[in-house]
Structures are given as C-alpha cells and as structure tokens.
Amino acid sequence: MNTSNSLKETIPQKFNKILLTRNPWFKKATKGIWILFLCVVLGFPLYVLSVSVNLFGLFGDMPSLKAIENPKNDLSSELISADGISLGRYFRFNRSQVTYDQLSPDLVNTLLLSEDHRFYDHSGLDFRAYMRVIFGVVTFSSSSKGGGSTITQQLAKNLFSTRGEELDGPLMVGPLRILISKTKEWIISVKLEKNFTKEEIITMYLNTSDFSSNAYGIKVAAETYFDKQPSELNVQESAVLVGMLQAPSFYNPKRNPNNALTKRNEVLYKLYSHGYIKSQAQYDSLRKLPIHLDFAVQNQNEGLATYFRTVILNDLMNWCKEHGYDLWESGLKIHTTLDSRMQRYAEEAMAESMKPQQKTFDTHWKGKNPWIDEKWNEIKGFLDSRIKQTETYRNLVARYGEGNDSVKIMLKLKKPMTIFTWNGERDTLFSSMDSLNYYKRFLHAGFMSMDARTGAIKAWVGGINHKYFKYDHVRQGTRQPGSSFKPFVYGTAMETGYNPCLKLQDVSPTFKVPGGTWSPPNAEGDRGTGEWMTMRQAMAKSKNSITAQVLQRVGEVNVVNFAHRVGITSPLDAVPSLCLGVSDVSLYEIVGAYSTFVNAGIHTEPFYITRIEDKNGNVIENFVPKTQQAISEQTAYKMIYMLMGGVQEEGGTSRGLNFNLRTDNEIGGKTGTTNNASDGWYMGITRDLVSGAWVGGDERSIHYKQWDLGQGSKTARPIWEKFMIKVYADQSLEYKKGQFRRPSAKMDITFDCSAYELPDDDSGTAQEDWNPNNE
C-alpha cells in the first residue's frame, strides 16, 4: 500500500517534500513569496482603490468623472481680423487649440516614435515600459532606464496638475508623494482612454504642453519658434519641439541652442531606429542641419494692432464679466473688423512718415530743449517736475523718503538700459533722468481708418511703438483738432441753407468776449486780406477769418449740436474760439464724425467687433453698429463737395497730395493745426474709407518753434497719403478709386458757382442777405 502510494507521487512532489522536511528556510521563503504574491494581487488593487476614493482623506482629491470626461483646458482668447488672421491673444498661459487634422504627419509620428511608440497598443498604461524601468533601476543599467509614462499619463499630468498642491493629501510627503501622484495619473489615464480616441488624446496632449518662452500648446509653439502653423512643421522642426517636452527650458532652442541641437538629434535617431527616417544618408543629412528659428515671443508688444489689443481690453473684460466668461482662460474667438493687410499698411505708413519727421524735429531743436511756454521760452525745471510724475520717483520716495538726497542720487545713477530708436533697439547706459530727457523729445502719432458705409474700423495705430510708448492716441488721447474741426462749422451752415458758392470777404469778425473783444487771426498772422472767396475756397484754404464769420452767423450752440449729432462725443465749449477747434476731441470720434458725411448723413458709430465665439466655435453674440440719421443726405453731400475743395481748389491744403492718388479718384481732405503747432491733423475721405492722422509731442509744450513746420499738411498728411497709396496698390482689397456716391434725390442746389456770381459790391458789404436758394 505504501509502495503503491509512493509510486503515485511525482518526482517534483517528492522533491518539494524533501525540501520542506529537511530545509525549514525554504518553507519560510515559500510562505513569504505567497504572502508577497497575495499582497500584490490583493493589496495593490486595494491601494489603487484607496487612492481613487481618497480613503480617510489621506491621499488627496481626485478629479471628478465629469472633469475627466470634460477636461478643462485653460485657453487664451484670440483676436481675429476680418480676413481671418490672428492679431494676438489674451492669456495667462499663452495657449490655443488645434485639431488633429491640423497636426502635420511628421509631428505626430515624431511624437509617437520618440515618446510612446506602443501608444496604439496600450490602454493608457504601458506595462512593458514599467518592467524596463524597474529592471534598469535594479540592475543600475542606464540603457534600460527611461520614462515609463505614456502620452496619456503625461496628458493626465497636464490637465489635472497631479504633481501640484491642488490634489495633495496628508500622505503625500517624501517618496510617497511621487508614488501617489503616479498612481493618480494611472487612474486618470485609464479613464481618459475610455472617454477619448487615441487621436483626441494626442491632440489634447500637444495642446496642453509647455514649450517655454510663454508658449503653451503646439500651435503657439510652432508660431513662436518657427512662425509656422503645426500643419506646416517638418521632421527636424518637429524633433526640436518634441524634444522640448521633457525639459522645456533646458531644451529651449533660443536660450540653450546646444542642448536643443543635441536633443533634436537624439529624437531624429529614434525616428531612424524605428524606420521612419528611411536611410542612414537621410539621417546623417538631417542631423547636420542647424536649427533655423524664426523666433518671436507673443505678447502685447509684438505683432499687429498692439495698441488696439490693449485699448479694447477693458471693453472685452466688461463683456466677459457680464456674460460669465474668463477672457484669459475661456478660449474665446473674438472676430474684429480690422483687416490685417490694411493694419500692416497703416503701421508701415506711420513708421515711414514718423522716422524722417523725428529726424527733422531733432535737427530743428539740436542743442536746445523742445519744451517751451506760450512765449516760446524754454520751460525751466521741466524735467525735474516731470520726473516726479513717474513710478520710479514714487518708488524711490517710498524707499528713502521725500526730500532725501538718495532720491536724487538714484535718479542720476546710470545703469544698462535698452532704448527705442527709429533704427532699432539700442543698449546704452542711462539714468532715470537721462531716459526721461531722451523720451520726452519724441514726436508721437495716431492713425485710424474706417469703412464709412459699415462703421467697421479697418486699421488702428495708437502710437509709434507700443513697447516703449503705451499711451494710445486714437481713443485714449484727446487734443485740440484745430482746423480739422471747421467742417462742423461749415456743415451747420450747409444745414441752415447756405451754399458752398456763397462768397464772403477775408476779414476777421470781432466777437465780444469776457474782458473785451476777440478777432481771430489767420494762420499767416493777419486779420484778412479783404479778398472775396466762396465758402468752399475758404475752407479749402483754411481761412480762420471766414470760418469765424460763418460761426457768427449760425451760432456757437448750433455748431456744438451739429458736431454732436454727426459723431463728436467730447464736451464742446460754445464759445467764439470753437471755430478754431480749441475743444479737445479724440481721433476715434472725429473720424467717426467725418464718416457721417460720406455715409449719406447716417452716423454709424465706429465699431471693431463683429462676433464672439466660444472655444468650440459657437457664436455667443453678434455685434451690430449703432446708426442714426444725423443730417440729411443733401447736407452730407454738400460737405463732401466742400471737403473735395481742399484737393481741387487753388491754394487748398490738400493740393500737394500724390498725383497718382488723385488721378481718377475723388478725394476730400482737411488739415488741422493748433495755434502753437503742437498738434497736426489730417482727415481724408474717399468714396468708402475715412481715415485720420494726428501728430504731436508728448505734451502740448513740445512742438516746433515754427508754425509751418508743425502744420498738419507736413506732419500728419504724409501718413494718410502713404496709407492710401498702399491700400490702392493691393488689388486683393475691396477699396478702389472712384467717385463719391451721389444723393438718391436731386440736389436742391447746383455746384456751378458761376451761376451765383454777383456784381462786385463797391461798398464792400458782405453778401450776408443773399439767399443761396434763389438765383
């Protein structure tokens, strides 16, 4: 019986029986292995479950299922031009999404082969990779080490900050912190794989990754480093960006080009080893190439429409507050009226005009200071008073105390500084006083162009350089418009029934004012030549004397009302000097007001946003400009005819416009210059565009010594002229040469001024009683 039983035992069973009876240590080892096995099989799942439910609050919170199914991706909101070009973004983290179809095949394959070549074979966790990592750690083998994280795990870390403080728990200290964080990434990864396709995960990962240089997401990274879209990236460019994923700053090709080159070549080798790069020759050729960057960090000082982006920020913030959006993180698409081509032409026109203008100004004041009082004497202590208005001065006073000598010493302490010049940035040694003295000598400018028919603003240039001069001279700044205000005086007369052909004598009238009388002189300094001229000729030549006569006839209050109806929103003083444009207005409102003339008397409030979409492309709101019939179509066209006089009448202030610009084209224009030439303006109208330019010093006391050098025809008109030449040269734009639209109804007057010639009045009596509607 015993023999029979012993025969039935297998050799392994006998071997185990001998070991267990003769070797107690083996029995203990076997028991330990079983215990370890049971701990792994049962304990690990319990551990993972504990982390997932945050047992007793020890492990820290986990993202909710809803959050994982609909992960929040902080997105920058983007301004988009009317022709579909990105003008810039508002962001905390500069990130903008792309779809999978917008990724180049080279980019996708570089990512997969370099970071996770079994991506399509796992469900978020790559156990073969984990075994490789464990083996490498145990054997101290560098060839077997490496990241075990999958792309899905990296996405989990990007989306939910698993290494940050938001998901912290009491046990997350020391080595346990890494283990628990990794565990959370495993759990999230599995859930992400259940809720999204592989292509969606790839796209989300690239959209949420940091690429240094304030570039978050592959779209911004491609634009920042290569000035390309992700769909345009080639193999070597893709290798640079994918290489940055492990350590964005360390492998930044701008800051650390050698590190980036080495890493790029490592990525290229992986592509070669996996067969994506087909031959040794192709690999050798690619690895020898330098990294060609087209680098530009995106911020509010770079790109097109920098002033526009900054000025409309408050409007957008108010809209977001009202509608429950975060401008910085909601990924809004803000479609604007600006045309990127016209915006570029406007910025070019300003630079091309202001660079030589600044040179002229510097030469004019060489060896002297340009800040002068009303008697043309230098303002003493000007810089000392202005430095006290700076943040630097306030900070020094807060640190050392008012009146402390250290404040003066620090203000005069020279330090390395990068300054603006019209030939590019320059490094120098400047003190705060040096800097103030340098920048106060610059002339500034503003320019705006709008479509008179729609009210859409097409170009907005608020200054000469947003990085160094933040103040916007389109809407923020208000200055005296000078003679560019005169059309509102004549417009009131046209509405009252006056005819552009009415002749008045060039003699300055006298007004009773508090303390005495006032007679406005002409720009030449005289009170008139006595010459008879039509109202059209008078406005074309910008005669103060005759404009004052018109104001006297129609009344100051009526002029104020007329100006406000057609679009001026700033307060206007109903005083005799109103005819010379002494009340401050903005370029934004005066361009809008002139547009009323071109738009058949309908005032359309200038606007710049057409619609706002959410991050998924759903339209949240459409914007329609506000319109009202401000003046009659007849009055509007009379003013177009009056403004064309500046180009057509002998002695008109727009006669000097480029000949090709005037050929086969109807143009109206009006210059404006303040008494001391501190402000130069030019307003130009065409059949569908109304544009305006302003040029002047940072303060009204900074200007030319000679009035003729600072007049609008020399300072501001060149900007408008260069802009329009560029616009007409671009055949892709809808704005062409042509005639102004004629009124739909027959005019109540004829513009043949010869029909209204009256015999010379030997008595010199002004024709004030002449009825323009009776021949």
Side-chain angles (χ1 to χ4, degrees):
M1 189 73 175
N2 291 335
T3 303
S4 174
N5 288 338
S6 64
L7 288 175
K8 291 180 181 178
E9 290 180 345
T10 63
I11 294 177
Q13 288 173 331
K14 290 181 179 180
F15 182 72
N16 288 336
K17 188 175 181 179
I18 293 171
L19 286 176
L20 291 173
T21 54
R22 298 182 181 182
N23 297 284
W25 62 267
F26 184 78
K27 184 176 182 180
K28 293 179 180 180
T30 303
K31 183 178 179 181
I33 291 172
W34 275 105
I35 292 173
L36 179 62
F37 174 76
L38 290 174
C39 285
V40 171
V41 172
L42 299 178
F44 185 74
L46 288 174
Y47 159 72
V48 172
L49 179 62
S50 299
V51 172
S52 65
V53 300
N54 189 19
L55 186 65
F56 305 126
L58 296 174
F59 299 95
D61 291 332
M62 283 286 293
S64 66
L65 179 61
K66 182 179 179 180
I68 294 174
E69 291 175 345
N70 300 281
K72 180 183 178 182
N73 181 10
D74 294 340
L75 296 173
S76 55
S77 292
E78 187 173 21
L79 281 181
I80 302 172
S81 71
D83 54 324
I85 302 299
S86 175
L87 296 174
R89 299 185 179 96
Y90 300 102
F91 53 83
R92 290 191 180 92
F93 303 102
N94 191 10
R95 177 184 291 132
S96 188
Q97 283 185 322
V98 293
T99 63
Y100 184 79
D101 293 338
Q102 294 171 309
L103 304 174
S104 76
D106 282 340
L107 174 63
V108 173
N109 284 292
T110 300
L111 173 67
L112 296 180
L113 295 177
S114 175
E115 297 294 308
D116 190 357
H117 65 274
R118 285 186 292 274
F119 177 71
Y120 279 97
D121 298 326
H122 63 67
S123 298
L125 306 179
D126 187 353
F127 292 102
R128 289 176 59 183
Y130 301 151
M131 293 299 102
R132 171 176 52 79
V133 173
I134 294 172
F135 180 78
V137 172
V138 172
T139 62
F140 302 99
S141 171
S142 60
S143 62
S144 296
K145 292 180 182 179
S149 294
T150 63
I151 288 175
T152 314
Q153 286 176 251
Q154 293 297 320
L155 173 60
K157 185 167 65 173
N158 288 352
L159 288 175
F160 300 106
S161 301
T162 54
R163 308 294 173 93
E165 297 180 357
E166 292 182 8
L167 303 181
D168 264 1
L171 289 182
M172 295 183 69
V173 293
L176 283 178
R177 181 182 185 86
I178 298 297
L179 175 61
I180 295 172
S181 295
K182 276 284 187 182
T183 305
K184 291 181 179 181
E185 290 166 16
W186 295 336
I187 297 169
I188 296 169
S189 296
V190 172
K191 293 181 178 180
L192 287 173
E193 291 274 350
K194 289 181 178 179
N195 284 281
F196 299 98
T197 67
K198 289 289 188 179
E199 289 73 21
E200 287 173 332
I201 290 172
I202 291 172
T203 309
M204 291 168 66
Y205 175 56
L206 288 173
N207 278 334
T208 57
S209 293
D210 178 11
F211 289 91
S212 187
S213 296
N214 203 26
Y216 295 83
I218 191 63
K219 185 178 191 299
V220 180
E223 292 170 348
T224 299
Y225 293 104
F226 301 109
D227 192 24
K228 288 185 174 183
Q229 293 303 305
S231 59
E232 302 170 322
L233 294 172
N234 58 32
V235 172
Q236 59 268 31
E237 292 163 346
S238 299
V240 171
L241 296 178
V242 169
M244 293 177 68
L245 293 170
Q246 294 182 8
S249 295
F250 187 75
Y251 295 122
N252 185 313
K254 182 65 176 179
R255 298 176 190 169
N256 300 300
N258 293 332
N259 296 349
L261 184 63
T262 300
K263 185 63 178 178
R264 183 204 68 178
N265 290 344
E266 289 179 6
V267 174
L268 289 176
Y269 180 75
K270 289 184 179 180
L271 299 182
Y272 171 61
S273 64
H274 285 285
Y276 189 73
I277 295 176
K278 301 300 182 182
S279 67
Q280 178 76 41
Q282 184 185 6
Y283 166 67
D284 289 338
S285 175
L286 289 173
R287 66 187 297 272
K288 291 176 182 177
L289 292 174
I291 297 177
H292 293 291
L293 295 179
D294 192 346
F295 181 79
V297 174
Q298 297 184 9
N299 57 53
Q300 301 302 356
N301 293 323
E302 302 291 337
L304 290 172
T306 49
Y307 287 91
F308 172 75
R309 282 183 261 156
T310 303
V311 172
I312 70 167
L313 177 59
N314 285 336
D315 294 344
L316 292 172
M317 291 288 289
N318 290 334
W319 183 91
C320 286
K321 183 178 181 180
E322 182 181 342
H323 293 80
Y325 288 92
D326 185 335
L327 180 65
W328 313 100
E329 297 182 357
S330 294
L332 301 175
K333 301 295 182 184
I334 303 154
H335 293 266
T336 72
T337 61
L338 264 64
D339 186 288
S340 69
R341 296 159 295 183
M342 297 174 72
Q343 178 67 27
R344 185 176 297 105
Y345 298 150
E347 293 180 10
E348 291 172 355
M350 178 171 288
E352 292 167 7
S353 299
M354 293 306 296
K355 182 177 180 179
Q357 186 68 227
Q358 186 65 49
K359 186 177 181 180
T360 300
F361 189 73
D362 292 341
T363 302
H364 178 74
W365 282 104
K366 189 173 183 180
K368 296 182 180 180
N369 294 322
W371 32 87
I372 52 180
D373 59 23
E374 294 179 355
K375 296 181 180 179
W376 306 88
N377 297 318
E378 180 184 338
I379 300 174
K380 302 299 181 183
F382 177 83
L383 292 178
D384 290 332
S385 64
R386 297 309 187 271
I387 195 70
K388 293 180 180 179
Q389 300 172 6
T390 65
E391 185 177 355
T392 299
Y393 179 83
R394 290 191 291 269
N395 291 338
L396 289 173
V397 168
R399 181 177 179 183
Y400 296 108
E402 186 77 40
N404 192 302
D405 289 341
S406 295
V407 174
K408 295 181 180 179
I409 293 171
M410 295 302 292
L411 288 174
K412 295 180 180 180
L413 179 66
K414 293 185 182 295
K415 48 188 176 292
M417 189 179 295
T418 301
I419 61 173
F420 167 79
T421 79
W422 276 111
N423 294 315
E425 291 183 328
R426 179 166 65 88
D427 293 330
T428 188
L429 287 174
F430 264 5
S431 67
S432 296
M433 290 298 295
D434 293 334
S435 176
L436 182 68
N437 183 28
Y438 176 74
Y439 283 121
K440 280 293 183 180
R441 298 172 185 272
F442 275 91
L443 288 175
H444 297 271
F447 179 85
M448 179 178 133
S449 181
M450 67 177 281
D451 187 318
R453 300 164 299 178
T454 65
I457 297 174
K458 309 309 293 184
W460 178 315
V461 189
I464 58 175
N465 186 283
H466 186 263
K467 181 177 180 180
Y468 291 92
F469 307 100
K470 301 296 187 187
Y471 194 72
D472 172 73
H473 294 286
V474 170
R475 195 168 77 175
Q476 286 182 329
T478 59
R479 297 289 278 264
Q480 291 181 344
S483 295
S484 61
F485 186 84
K486 288 177 181 176
F488 307 123
V489 178
Y490 286 100
T492 307
M494 296 300 108
E495 188 173 56
T496 306
Y498 284 84
N499 189 294
C501 296
L502 171 63
K503 280 192 173 182
L504 296 173
Q505 195 173 16
D506 181 13
V507 176
S508 180
T510 298
F511 293 87
K512 289 183 180 181
V513 295
T517 59
W518 175 71
S519 295
N522 284 317
E524 298 79 11
D526 60 70
R527 291 190 59 198
T529 63
E531 177 187 1
W532 289 85
M533 61 184 73
T534 66
M535 293 178 73
R536 188 181 195 237
Q537 291 169 334
M539 195 177 89
K541 296 179 180 181
S542 203
K543 289 291 182 180
N544 294 343
S545 56
I546 294 181
T547 309
Q549 290 181 48
V550 175
L551 179 80
Q552 198 173 51
R553 290 162 179 251
V554 300
E556 294 96 329
V557 173
N558 290 329
V559 172
V560 169
N561 291 336
F562 180 89
H564 282 156
R565 269 189 287 126
V566 297
I568 298 298
T569 56
S570 294
L572 300 172
D573 295 324
V575 295
S577 58
L578 178 68
C579 65
L580 303 185
V582 296
S583 294
D584 289 354
V585 299
S586 70
L587 185 61
Y588 176 88
E589 59 189 298
I590 200 169
V591 170
Y594 270 65
S595 293
T596 304
F597 302 143
V598 181
N599 196 31
I602 299 173
H603 172 63
T604 303
E605 184 177 322
F607 81 111
Y608 40 78
I609 298 175
T610 57
R611 69 182 186 277
I612 297 178
E613 299 173 352
D614 65 17
K615 64 181 180 181
N616 298 315
N618 301 311
V619 176
I620 304 170
E621 184 169 352
N622 287 303
F623 294 84
V624 179
K626 299 176 182 177
T627 64
Q628 66 171 6
Q629 188 75 44
I631 56 178
S632 71
E633 191 178 19
Q634 301 273 327
T635 299
Y637 190 73
K638 289 175 188 176
M639 285 311 302
I640 289 176
Y641 177 72
M642 290 283 287
L643 287 165
M644 285 195 291
V647 179
Q648 297 171 354
E649 295 284 355
E650 192 67 36
T653 57
S654 296
R655 290 280 287 180
L657 285 174
N658 181 279
F659 177 76
N660 290 330
L661 194 59
R662 292 186 285 129
T663 302
D664 300 323
N665 196 28
E666 287 188 340
I667 295 174
K670 186 71 195 78
T671 56
T673 314
T674 50
N675 285 339
N676 60 2
S678 62
D679 301 275
W681 296 73
Y682 189 75
M683 300 300 302
I685 64 172
T686 64
R687 58 180 292 189
D688 40 27
L689 278 180
V690 176
S691 312
W694 167 88
V695 175
D698 185 40
E699 299 187 39
R700 299 173 203 262
S701 60
I702 300 172
H703 53 80
Y704 285 100
K705 289 180 289 184
Q706 298 168 225
W707 185 88
D708 62 316
L709 291 176
Q711 60 183 306
S713 61
K714 290 188 177 180
T715 61
R717 193 179 74 190
I719 300 175
W720 183 89
E721 184 176 45
K722 292 178 185 295
F723 170 75
M724 290 306 303
I725 290 173
K726 293 173 184 289
V727 167
Y728 285 143
D730 189 341
Q731 295 302 307
S732 68
L733 293 172
E734 61 182 294
Y735 302 105
K736 313 295 182 184
K737 290 182 177 182
Q739 293 185 331
F740 289 102
R741 288 177 294 168
R742 270 46 181 175
S744 56
K746 184 179 180 181
M747 289 295 295
D748 54 3
I749 62 169
T750 175
F751 294 123
D752 180 9
C753 290
S754 62
Y756 297 101
E757 288 286 354
L758 295 183
D760 289 337
D761 189 340
D762 295 333
S763 66
T765 303
Q767 303 173 49
E768 56 186 307
D769 296 326
W770 178 65
N771 185 340
N773 294 317
N774 295 324
E775 298 187 18

